[in-house]
Amino acid sequence: MPPTIRPYAPDDAQATLDVFLAAIRVTAAADYTPEQLAAWAPDDVDLTAWAHRRAARRTVVAEVDGRVVGFTDVDPDGYVDMMFVDPAVGRTGVASALLAWAYDAAVRDGASTLTTHASLTARPFFEAHGFVVTAEQQPVRRGVTLTNFAMSRRLP
């Protein structure tokens, strides 16, 4: 059953934070060290600040059977800041549905390109959906260097 995509609501803060943490700590664990995972997904994420950040962006959530299993956002220029899926529903079409929403929203906004900073883990997903790497990056989180990729996909 395909997920339902709907706008983020204030009550989604904890569920989206849980998805974020699980996606990093479980799914990305194959590609990043424990030190990198701890820096990227620390135990002390402030839920109020998280909720404000999600609400300030055009965020949508994916639900399956009434449970939040993923989320994403896209700004008017076509930048996808976050896209995370609960590991329990990985490879079931949730990320593809979220990306389709972001694509459609960016096209409606008149963006010429969809862009993101994809993790080592997410890079193959984005490549499978027509994105190309434009740069390898080494962002630092809490003093720990990670690797991610600036990626883009032209829009019609």
Side-chain angles (χ1 to χ4, degrees):
M1 177 166 105
T4 300
I5 307 297
R6 64 162 176 80
Y8 171 89
D11 289 348
D12 295 324
Q14 186 66 59
T16 54
L17 178 56
D18 291 345
V19 167
F20 171 78
L21 295 172
I24 293 168
R25 293 173 179 172
V26 177
T27 308
D31 298 311
Y32 293 92
T33 67
E35 180 185 35
Q36 289 171 320
L37 297 171
W40 187 10
D43 290 330
D44 63 351
V45 175
D46 180 279
L47 184 60
T48 301
W50 173 269
H52 286 298
R53 185 172 180 201
R54 297 285 29 102
R57 299 184 182 275
R58 182 172 40 178
T59 302
V60 296
V61 299
E63 286 186 334
V64 172
D65 297 328
R67 185 173 72 86
V68 173
V69 295
F71 69 97
T72 195
D73 57 52
V74 66
D75 73 14
D77 294 324
Y79 177 66
V80 176
D81 181 41
M82 290 195 170
M83 177 179 292
F84 291 93
V85 172
D86 185 324
V89 298
R91 300 193 176 275
T92 64
V94 173
S96 294
L98 288 167
L99 185 58
W101 172 86
Y103 179 96
D104 291 344
V107 168
R108 282 193 307 275
D109 289 340
S112 61
T113 308
L114 203 56
T115 60
T116 195
H117 296 158
S119 67
L120 290 163
T121 309
R123 177 182 172 175
F125 166 80
F126 283 103
E127 287 177 330
H129 287 84
F131 283 71
V132 295
V133 172
T134 57
E136 182 173 325
Q137 305 176 127
Q138 304 293 316
V140 176
R141 302 281 185 267
R142 296 179 173 230
V144 178
T145 302
L146 305 169
T147 298
N148 72 17
F149 303 91
M151 299 186 77
S152 67
R153 176 183 175 183
R154 298 286 305 160
L155 297 173

